[in-house]
Amino acid sequence: MSKVTVVGAGNVGATCADVLAYREIAEEIVLIDIKEGVAEGKALDIFQKAPINQYDSRTIGSTNDYSKTANSDVVVITSGLPRKPGMTRDDLIETNAGIVKSVTENVIKHSPNAIIIVVSNPLDVMTYQAHITSGISRNKVIGMAGILDTARYRAFLAEELNVSPKEIQAILMGGHGDTMVPLPRYTTVAGIPVTELVAKDKLDAIIERTKFGGGELVKLMGTSAWYAPGAAAAQMVEAILKNQRRVFPVCIKLEGEYGIDDCYLGVPVILGKNGVEKVLELDLNAEEKALLETSRGHVKEVMEVLNNLGK
């Protein structure tokens, strides 16, 4: 029986669990949170929707009892605090690194063979934290950011061209944030290069909007997004459990790919039953390499913050 645990029953985690259940991606979904009753309540609410939306997946909630997560095939970590007024980046890293470390220890204790998907922010460095804490292979500890960022990019292009979002295919690399690297050269509309359909100035504007896509939503709602991030994490789970071998941009520790070593960056991979089956190396041009190097430098700076904290 396929089993998935989602740690953190906030907006993102609950949305992920709901998508997993609604699409019957896993037979059993465990939602876990530190706040008394929240995970149990949301899991019950999702299951009570099953007769309406016609699905068989069972959702179970738990308040910090990791024994219920035992033998999970995949674990999605969404727990962590959002950045608050007066909180520095270092404060956020220290707080969330402690949370992710504790969660990962509990996950590995009860599900040593699980594939871990990290959604907590700052994404790249939290993937680093989960990987070093777990001590398992890099292909089984990955971060969800590229699918979300690429989805925003594709949605904006579909809006500009007034076409179905299904027709847009794109690759995006680098860190999760304003140094991400959308790649117009690898962006197509039903196989047509996007550069033939969208003027450069408009395409540049869409790329900039994509880089700050999360911030745009925070300004509108006063909080981070959850529908798209939750669905993006669920899509990764589906590719793994169904061994779909889909090509997605995910955050993984690079070990020489793109000339980069010991840095956690978003790159295109083949995602299947073993997690990352293969890292795909694109033939980047000089401009794209420079942008990726800038992103690498930014992520390494944040990784150093974590190193200095001794987490």
Side-chain angles (χ1 to χ4, degrees):
M1 183 173 72
S2 57
K3 181 175 181 178
V4 176
T5 289
V6 181
V7 184
N11 288 334
V12 175
T15 298
C16 179
D18 185 43
V19 174
L20 290 170
Y22 177 67
R23 296 186 58 188
E24 297 185 316
I25 293 170
E27 293 167 270
E28 183 178 320
I29 300 132
V30 179
L31 192 58
I32 189 166
D33 200 276
I34 61 171
K35 191 173 181 180
E36 186 73 37
V38 171
E40 290 90 340
K42 291 188 178 182
L44 181 59
D45 193 17
I46 292 169
F47 185 60
Q48 288 174 353
K49 185 164 61 72
I52 300 169
N53 287 144
Q54 298 288 291
Y55 54 83
D56 295 316
S57 297
R58 300 297 296 264
T59 46
I60 298 165
S62 170
T63 300
N64 228 27
D65 180 4
Y66 281 83
S67 66
K68 293 184 178 179
T69 73
N71 301 314
S72 292
D73 298 293
V74 183
V75 177
V76 181
I77 302 176
T78 72
S79 39
L81 300 178
R83 187 167 171 175
K84 299 177 181 178
M87 180 182 282
T88 67
R89 181 185 67 175
D90 292 9
D91 291 336
L92 181 64
I93 293 171
E94 182 172 18
T95 300
N96 283 353
I99 293 170
V100 170
K101 180 179 180 181
S102 175
V103 167
T104 304
E105 289 170 344
N106 281 305
V107 165
I108 291 299
K109 178 181 178 181
H110 295 280
S111 302
N113 297 316
I115 293 169
I116 298 173
I117 298 172
V118 180
V119 185
S120 308
N121 279 316
L123 187 283
D124 309 290
V125 74
M126 290 305 108
T127 305
Y128 173 36
Q129 177 68 79
H131 186 208
I132 60 176
T133 300
S134 68
I136 61 178
S137 170
R138 67 164 181 161
N139 68 300
K140 297 181 72 174
V141 186
I142 51 182
M144 188 296 294
I147 293 177
L148 170 62
D149 294 330
T150 304
R152 288 170 174 161
Y153 178 44
R154 293 162 64 197
F156 298 152
L157 285 169
E159 185 178 45
E160 170 66 27
L161 292 166
N162 195 23
V163 300
S164 168
K166 298 175 185 176
E167 302 296 344
I168 313 291
Q169 291 296 320
I171 288 291
L172 181 149
M173 296 176 63
H176 182 48
D178 57 11
T179 64
M180 71 178 72
V181 186
L183 298 171
R185 200 160 59 91
Y186 292 98
T187 304
T188 61
V189 184
I192 304 167
V194 73
T195 50
E196 295 184 15
L197 300 174
V198 180
K200 187 178 185 305
D201 60 334
K202 289 186 177 180
L203 189 54
D204 288 344
I206 287 171
I207 288 172
E208 285 304 301
R209 187 182 180 191
T210 301
K211 290 180 178 180
F212 299 96
E216 180 181 357
L217 290 164
V218 171
K219 287 181 180 178
L220 289 168
M221 302 188 296
T223 188
S224 300
W226 61 88
Y227 293 124
Q235 189 174 55
M236 290 178 69
V237 174
E238 182 176 36
I240 293 166
L241 289 183
K242 297 183 179 180
N243 194 29
Q244 292 176 331
R245 298 185 64 84
R246 296 197 63 180
V247 176
F248 287 137
V250 307
C251 178
I252 186 173
K253 180 186 181 185
L254 295 183
E255 296 179 343
E257 296 90 354
Y258 297 96
I260 297 172
D261 196 39
D262 196 27
C263 187
Y264 293 74
L265 284 175
V267 293
V269 307
I270 297 173
L271 199 60
K273 66 180 180 180
N274 299 307
V276 171
E277 305 285 350
K278 183 179 181 180
V279 174
L280 302 179
E281 289 195 70
L282 306 180
D283 186 15
L284 302 180
N285 61 32
E287 180 184 2
E288 292 160 348
K289 287 178 181 177
L291 290 171
L292 186 61
E293 176 58 26
T294 297
S295 191
R296 182 205 67 81
H298 174 77
V299 171
K300 285 294 284 187
E301 285 181 10
V302 184
M303 286 174 62
E304 279 304 308
V305 172
L306 181 63
N307 291 338
N308 292 335
L309 290 170
K311 292 289 183 182

